[in-house]
Amino acid sequence: MMLVTLGLLVSFLSFLYTIAPSIRKFVAGGVCRTNVQLPGKVVVITGANTGIGKETARELARRGARVYIACRDVLKGESAASEIRADTKNSQVLVRKLDLSDTKSIRAFAEGFLAEEKQLHILINNAGVMMCTYSKTADGFETHLGVNHLGHFLLTHLLLERLKESAPARVVNLSSVLHHIGKISFHDLQGEKYYSRLFAYCHSKLANVLFTRQLAKRLQGTGVTTYAVHPGIVTSELTRHSFLLCLLWQLFSPFIKSAREGAQTSLHCALAEGLEPLSGKYFSDCKRGWVSPRARNNKTAEHLWKVSCELLGIQWE
């Protein structure tokens, strides 16, 4: 019986891998098709030293933008920038230190950038952590909330006036389809009463969608628009904190998006013409996606905004 079961399993896997190219074509999803060029434009991408962010930076550099790779590991960032400069023949790919788990680092990055650049046309909040064991940032925030939401919330706040001055400009926030199982529990926002590595990630991704929704409302009439993005299931370093996910990603790698494919929706939201009326919306595979009822709750979005400001000690009206 065991031999029969094993044989069936082997046959199924063989069949699966035989049709892998067809599945891969389907999984690859949408493609950013705009030919927009970016000479003279300035872009900041967080976490662009690897994965989706790196491929996003590569394509924007190829289109002529001045690209800032904002990342915690400057050595990895310099390696990525060197590769992108050689590939795109664009020397304007720069690396600056940014640790989203430390508000002092975020403020230092913003201060340095604003002193260096008089314009900012595209901000892509790409960096993130996933399924970390319970830990806190330098400021005492639960890591998923602190890095994925609060870090980018503060960064956007600090750079927003420069975006407005450079309008038309865009803010792209990377979220996930897993926001559908996320929940904002204000009585336990930091996960001190109950903590699950998976759910902590999902909650932070819901926060990204709610932040995008509320930000869009506040940006009406400024020329700055914002979009939330689900990149798809992508081969990246995001799974590094989970042995099981790393194993699954290896096993099913023929059916998972490459980093380049995962970058397409970010690029679409950063570049595609005519997206302005859809500011605040959620995109997947380069088209508008469906969000959970919790992600459409304006009261939750407003309260999360207020609480985020209080936690960060900022005023953002």
Side-chain angles (χ1 to χ4, degrees):
M1 184 67 180
M2 186 178 291
L3 288 175
V4 172
T5 303
L6 184 61
L8 288 172
L9 179 61
V10 170
S11 297
F12 173 72
L13 289 174
S14 297
F15 169 73
L16 204 58
Y17 277 77
T18 299
I19 63 172
S22 298
I23 298 176
R24 281 288 297 115
K25 187 175 181 180
F26 173 77
V27 169
V31 176
C32 176
R33 301 192 180 280
T34 179
N35 293 317
V36 168
Q37 298 300 304
L38 301 171
K41 302 297 183 182
V42 180
V43 178
V44 169
I45 311 175
T46 67
N49 58 315
T50 187
I52 296 169
K54 180 180 175 182
E55 293 308 314
T56 304
R58 189 193 308 275
E59 182 57 32
L60 296 178
R62 183 173 286 121
R63 293 170 185 253
R66 181 175 171 88
V67 178
Y68 282 81
I69 292 175
C71 60
R72 183 175 57 179
D73 191 328
V74 175
L75 288 178
K76 278 189 176 180
E78 291 291 357
S79 176
S82 178
E83 178 187 321
I84 292 169
R85 286 192 291 261
D87 183 30
T88 64
K89 305 300 185 289
N90 182 346
S91 62
Q92 299 300 298
V93 181
L94 309 169
V95 180
R96 298 293 181 267
K97 184 174 179 60
L98 171 66
D99 184 349
L100 288 162
S101 69
D102 185 347
T103 57
K104 288 183 181 178
S105 176
I106 298 169
R107 290 182 180 280
F109 168 82
E111 183 179 352
F113 175 83
L114 293 173
E116 191 171 359
E117 288 289 346
K118 300 307 177 188
Q119 291 186 305
L120 175 59
H121 302 94
I122 301 172
L123 169 62
I124 301 180
N125 291 320
N126 165 86
V129 293
M130 181 180 186
M131 293 187 68
C132 306
T133 54
Y134 189 83
S135 58
K136 292 188 175 183
T137 67
D139 301 275
F141 307 134
E142 185 278 315
T143 299
H144 292 90
L145 178 76
V147 172
N148 295 351
H149 170 59
L150 292 173
H152 283 127
F153 188 96
L154 177 60
L155 179 66
T156 305
H157 167 69
L158 295 172
L159 299 181
L160 192 59
E161 287 307 311
R162 191 57 40 91
L163 284 159
K164 289 179 180 178
E165 292 166 3
S166 310
R170 295 185 182 184
V171 179
V172 179
N173 299 316
L174 265 72
S175 180
S176 168
V177 69
L178 290 177
H179 84 269
H180 283 276
I181 54 176
K183 183 179 181 181
I184 305 299
S185 299
F186 291 105
H187 67 282
D188 190 25
L189 199 59
Q190 306 285 353
E192 294 171 330
K193 297 177 181 177
Y194 171 77
Y195 182 76
S196 158
R197 294 197 296 170
L198 173 60
F199 286 119
Y201 175 74
C202 299
H203 301 336
S204 71
K205 294 293 101 179
L206 174 58
N208 294 149
V209 180
L210 290 167
F211 169 48
T212 304
R213 184 180 186 86
Q214 189 65 12
L215 182 62
K217 287 178 65 176
R218 293 167 180 262
L219 289 175
Q220 287 180 5
T222 65
V224 183
T225 52
T226 182
Y227 312 90
V229 165
H230 167 54
I233 301 174
V234 181
T235 302
S236 74
E237 292 185 6
L238 189 61
T239 60
R240 64 187 179 277
H241 295 291
S242 170
F243 173 76
L244 178 59
L245 281 182
C246 288
L247 190 63
L248 288 171
W249 257 238
Q250 286 292 323
L251 182 61
F252 293 101
S253 58
F255 314 106
I256 294 174
K257 285 185 179 183
S258 66
R260 182 176 178 277
E261 290 164 342
Q264 295 305 304
T265 307
S266 295
L267 292 166
H268 175 78
C269 288
L271 300 171
E273 304 92 335
L275 284 190
E276 288 76 12
L278 296 177
S279 181
K281 305 306 182 186
Y282 168 84
F283 285 75
S284 177
D285 283 333
C286 298
K287 60 183 182 293
R288 186 175 171 183
W290 185 78
V291 294
S292 71
R294 286 173 179 155
R296 299 194 297 270
N297 190 311
N298 288 327
K299 287 186 177 180
T300 302
E302 290 168 5
H303 192 48
L304 178 63
W305 186 284
K306 179 182 176 182
V307 170
S308 298
C309 288
E310 290 172 353
L311 288 170
L312 292 164
I314 61 175
Q315 289 188 335
W316 191 354
E317 301 301 332

